[in-house]
Amino acid sequence: MSANARHACISAVTSCLRGEDLQAAINRTLVASGLNEADKKLVTKIAYGYLRSKTRIDFILARTVKGKLKKLPFGLVVSLGLAVYELHYLRVPEYATVHWYVEYVKKRFSAKMGKLANGVLRGVIRWGDAAHDPDFFRHGTSSRATFLGRYYSCPGWIVRMWRDAYGDDACRSLLSASLRPPYTGIRVNRSLPEAEKVYAALAEEAEHTLPGAWGVALEGSPSVSLADLEDSGQISRQSFAVQLLLAELGPASWPAPIWDACAGRGGKTTALAESVDGPIWASDLSQEKIRALHGETDRLLLPRVPGFVHDAAASHCLRRRPGTIFLDVPCSGLGVLSRRPDIKHKRTPKEIERLTRIQRDMLQSCLEVLHRGGTTIYVTCTLNPEENELAIRDFLSDAGNGVRLERSFSPTCPGVNEFFYAAVLHRPKT
């Protein structure tokens, strides 16, 4: 690894742990880095890999410095953690990793801290394969949840919630999935003339395909250039789990007009625009995201979807009632930890309480504007009953408006490692 690549890793991860979205931190860092494409890919791989394994790495460090980890400067812990990631997960010579990080710590902090870093990293090397043994992470605790949190690198409150909600075996399966990178999901733009040719080429190398939805899941890099296909509007990168969800929902049959009330940057909006003939509207709290949505429709050579800034949890002033409201609500994101590993280091139980209130307000507000006989589709990307099944149950029990649950489901596919929840709610005509 080059020195510049390591500096970029430290910068991106530090910014992320201080609050910035991981991919945004990586993008911003790489733009200014001057790195070649190989090093950029390596920085991205390390940043994601480290944040997937951070809790485990912190425990290894804590055992090595004998419980003094919390007393060390934040930046030093990040640097040591990235060094441990190199030592345990990359084929970088041990001496090269230790030498570089010790020298970096000396310059960044002090000679004393450099000496400490040298001792810590050599101690980690001495642990050897023992630091991968489950028993290593049982040290000092008899708590099953604490062990699972350490070994699978996940905060204890998430582990306890999943064990209570889904049982121990399912919890372990979910934790294991969160540590594996997801497949690259690709959606072929069916509206363009080359769609069949592009889809056939990608499907040959795909782990999973969705022919009816023009989707594929790729484990590695295909022989064709994804960047070139993106630039020409032939494809969009979209989670394969999202594509499974939309295929199951069958948007072509939804009552029109369709209102995507939390559109974000337009990934799902453009998927709808590629598959639905009727009118589609899109809104979001952020004007920047609405501009990004318009940029996506332009890239894909699609007619512009009317987009406007609006809070889906507030009262609505629509001149026409939608037949379908697609409500991809803000949520804790615990179903996409493999793709967004920084989430587990930022979310708190207190924040989830705030999110559940927002979700409830959105459901109630959208119901008030929905056309009679219309449908609201409630979607989350989390694994939390309070935001999924229980949220819908509580909403239906308190609504007093005759709304009924037509169905709810969570699409799954081997190796995808991402989990969504959807509930289809119908408002009667009378």
Side-chain angles (χ1 to χ4, degrees):
M1 287 184 66
S2 69
N4 286 343
R6 286 189 171 108
H7 280 294
C9 280
I10 294 170
S11 176
V13 168
T14 300
S15 296
C16 171
L17 291 174
R18 284 177 172 159
E20 190 173 5
D21 176 80
L22 174 57
Q23 191 58 53
I26 292 172
N27 291 344
R28 180 181 50 75
T29 301
L30 293 183
V31 165
S33 68
L35 294 173
N36 61 36
E37 289 303 312
D39 272 352
K40 287 180 179 179
K41 289 180 180 179
L42 186 57
V43 168
T44 301
K45 175 184 176 180
I46 292 172
Y48 274 91
Y50 167 70
L51 286 165
R52 288 190 185 103
S53 303
K54 181 179 182 300
T55 303
R56 174 188 276 214
I57 288 171
D58 283 351
F59 182 72
I60 294 171
L61 285 172
R63 285 200 65 181
T64 309
V65 300
K66 304 188 185 333
K68 298 178 182 178
L69 192 65
K70 292 183 179 179
K71 297 180 181 179
L72 299 180
F74 168 75
L76 177 58
V77 175
V78 170
S79 302
L80 291 174
L82 286 166
V84 173
Y85 184 82
E86 281 191 29
L87 292 171
H88 278 272
Y89 298 97
L90 298 181
R91 294 180 178 179
V92 180
E94 293 175 351
Y95 71 87
T97 296
V98 172
H99 174 75
W100 191 90
Y101 277 97
V102 168
E103 292 304 309
Y104 170 80
V105 169
K106 285 180 182 177
K107 294 176 183 177
R108 173 69 177 79
F109 297 97
S110 67
K112 180 179 179 181
M113 288 298 181
K115 184 176 180 181
L116 180 145
N118 184 64
V120 168
L121 296 181
R122 295 193 182 282
V124 168
I125 291 171
R126 284 194 293 272
W127 284 120
D129 291 339
H132 293 281
D133 192 303
D135 285 340
F136 182 90
F137 299 92
R138 292 190 174 95
H139 177 79
T141 184
S142 59
S143 166
R144 173 73 171 169
T146 299
F147 158 69
L148 290 174
R150 292 170 177 174
Y151 186 69
Y152 290 102
S153 194
C154 196
W157 69 269
I158 297 177
V159 174
R160 290 187 290 272
M161 180 179 71
W162 285 356
R163 289 186 77 209
D164 290 344
Y166 311 119
D168 191 78
D169 289 345
C171 174
R172 287 186 64 186
S173 178
L174 294 173
L175 290 168
S176 179
S178 74
L179 293 176
R180 298 191 295 269
Y183 292 143
T184 300
I186 300 295
R187 187 186 79 241
V188 175
N189 183 358
R190 70 188 77 181
S191 71
L192 297 184
E194 296 292 309
E196 290 188 6
K197 180 179 178 182
V198 171
Y199 179 79
L202 293 172
E204 284 186 1
E205 304 179 62
E207 295 296 318
H208 300 288
T209 61
L210 273 174
W214 297 80
V216 299
L218 303 169
E219 186 172 17
S221 299
S223 55
V224 296
S225 169
L226 294 181
D228 289 345
L229 292 174
E230 278 185 287
D231 290 343
S232 62
Q234 298 283 350
I235 65 167
S236 297
R237 295 179 190 250
Q238 185 173 50
S239 162
F240 194 70
V242 169
Q243 297 181 63
L244 285 170
L245 178 105
L246 290 174
E248 178 71 18
L249 288 167
S253 65
W254 295 355
I258 298 170
W259 176 26
D260 187 352
C262 299
R265 296 181 178 274
K268 299 181 186 68
T269 312
T270 52
L272 295 175
E274 290 172 10
S275 60
V276 172
D277 292 330
I280 301 169
W281 316 327
S283 67
D284 195 87
L285 273 172
S286 164
Q287 180 66 58
E288 179 190 353
K289 290 182 179 179
I290 293 298
R291 284 195 292 267
L293 183 155
H294 287 155
E296 273 297 280
T297 56
D298 293 347
R299 180 183 69 82
L300 295 166
L301 304 179
L302 296 168
R304 276 215 171 179
V305 173
F308 53 98
V309 176
H310 186 75
D311 182 357
S315 59
H316 302 294
C317 300
L318 300 177
R319 288 180 289 178
R320 183 181 176 191
R321 291 182 179 271
T324 302
I325 299 177
F326 186 72
L327 195 58
D328 183 8
V329 297
C331 68
S332 55
L334 303 183
V336 292
L337 295 182
S338 63
R339 178 161 48 95
R340 295 195 58 195
D342 51 319
I343 286 177
K344 61 186 175 182
H345 305 298
K346 297 174 180 177
R347 292 286 187 251
T348 65
K350 189 174 182 67
E351 186 178 13
I352 289 181
E353 292 178 11
R354 180 183 65 84
L355 287 168
T356 56
R357 289 194 296 271
I358 293 172
Q359 293 155 6
R360 176 58 183 262
D361 290 345
M362 285 184 169
L363 276 169
Q364 186 60 50
S365 181
C366 288
L367 178 65
E368 293 170 1
V369 75
L370 181 66
H371 199 286
R372 291 200 174 275
T375 299
T376 294
I377 299 170
Y378 175 89
V379 172
T380 75
C381 59
T382 195
L383 287 162
N384 176 13
E386 294 292 336
E387 299 175 79
N388 294 346
E389 301 89 344
L390 297 181
I392 296 301
R393 183 201 68 183
D394 293 345
F395 175 73
L396 294 176
S397 65
D398 294 345
N401 47 33
V403 175
R404 73 172 187 270
L405 174 65
E406 287 192 345
R407 62 177 176 138
S408 63
F409 64 95
S410 298
T412 59
C413 185
V416 172
N417 301 329
E418 295 184 293
F419 306 91
F420 284 72
Y421 170 84
V424 181
L425 305 171
H426 181 74
R427 184 181 188 187
K429 292 184 177 180
T430 57

